[in-house]
Amino acid sequence: MLPAPPPSSEPPPFWFVAPDGFYALPLDDSAEERAAAAERFVRGLYVDGDESVWGPAAPYYAGLGELMGAQGISYAAVGLYATGEEGAGRGVAQAVFTSAVVPTDQAAGDTETVAQGVLAVLRSDPHNDVRWLDLPCGPAVSSVTLTKYTLAPDVTATGGPEELLTGQTQVHVPFPTGPFTAVFTLFTAFTEYWREFSDLMAELLRSVSFVEPMLVALDGEDGDVAYLPGEAGVSGSAG
């Protein structure tokens, strides 16, 4: 791996737009802030619930947020999407998305060198499907890994051993504004919807920007806006 800059270095800001259906987990700095954010989170997540659901769920998500924050994750969200028809056959497909920032030793703007290094390291593992990406914000490297687990009989609905296939996409995007790399990860056990989740990840990655983004009116209509990644030398309200 490349040598890291001094630990006191703070990464420059960056932006992205999470797709609809992503619910951001509480990663606030203090326990009190996390608890309050978790209360709001569970009410938004379980809109048809009540205190019997929200009460036990809030401390769980507050603890999960504390754990992720301690691991250096700067943003985490749960994606929830309805499947099937209305009624008894309807279900929910889930995915977990996180973003983190890791230090990498690069000269200002030298994102391609870092991306080439990441590409070489990840391709050393034959289980990874590794690809080069040219995003609007610059070069990136994606790695897709599918993993099959055998579940013990005591945790399955059938009472017998079952196989579970999980999928993970991880994308490394070097900062053009400092010696850091953003790492975006999407994980799901609902691999039958892998294509749909991959499309959501691609949508998010196209929105990544290392300069302040702009919200612009569509067709001149107030209140009807679209996100545009920022351009070098141009900044605007992030909304």
Side-chain angles (χ1 to χ4, degrees):
M1 296 298 292
L2 296 170
S8 60
S9 299
E10 289 294 329
F14 69 103
W15 294 263
F16 59 87
V17 177
D20 291 341
F22 276 35
Y23 296 84
L25 288 164
L27 302 182
D28 301 76
D29 292 335
S30 71
E32 293 77 11
E33 291 171 330
R34 278 194 303 274
E39 291 282 351
R40 296 190 297 270
F41 173 80
V42 296
R43 282 166 170 74
L45 187 63
Y46 305 108
V47 291
D48 295 326
D50 54 28
E51 287 298 337
S52 67
V53 174
W54 300 330
Y60 167 79
Y61 285 109
L64 185 61
E66 181 180 10
L67 176 63
M68 288 187 169
Q71 293 175 340
I73 292 171
S74 56
Y75 175 87
V78 177
L80 299 177
Y81 299 92
T83 64
E85 302 296 330
E86 292 281 358
R90 190 156 200 181
V92 177
Q94 303 179 37
V96 176
F97 171 82
T98 64
S99 73
V101 176
V102 297
T104 46
D105 187 15
Q106 69 225 51
D110 189 14
T111 53
E112 186 159 339
T113 298
V114 174
Q116 290 286 2
V118 172
L119 185 73
V121 170
L122 293 179
R123 278 187 171 168
S124 66
D125 186 341
H127 299 292
N128 294 334
D129 178 9
V130 182
R131 303 187 183 187
W132 181 276
L133 301 178
D134 287 309
L135 301 177
C137 65
V141 177
S142 74
S143 175
V144 174
T145 306
L146 298 177
T147 305
K148 186 178 290 185
Y149 299 93
T150 300
L151 302 179
D154 58 342
V155 298
T156 66
T158 63
E162 293 184 10
E163 290 187 339
L164 175 68
L165 181 65
T166 66
Q168 175 180 284
T169 298
Q170 190 167 81
V171 181
H172 293 72
V173 186
F175 278 54
T177 52
F180 297 91
T181 293
V183 182
F184 300 97
T185 304
L186 186 140
F187 173 87
T188 184
F190 293 82
T191 50
E192 61 269 37
Y193 300 101
W194 182 253
R195 176 172 293 181
E196 289 81 357
F197 284 126
S198 296
D199 289 344
L200 290 172
M201 186 68 158
E203 175 187 341
L204 185 151
L205 291 170
R206 285 192 294 268
S207 76
V208 174
S209 179
F210 293 96
V211 292
E212 190 173 5
M214 298 175 290
L215 290 175
V216 298
L218 296 178
D219 300 323
E221 295 292 333
D222 291 340
D224 191 9
V225 298
Y227 168 89
L228 290 180
E231 299 179 0
V234 179
S235 64
S237 172

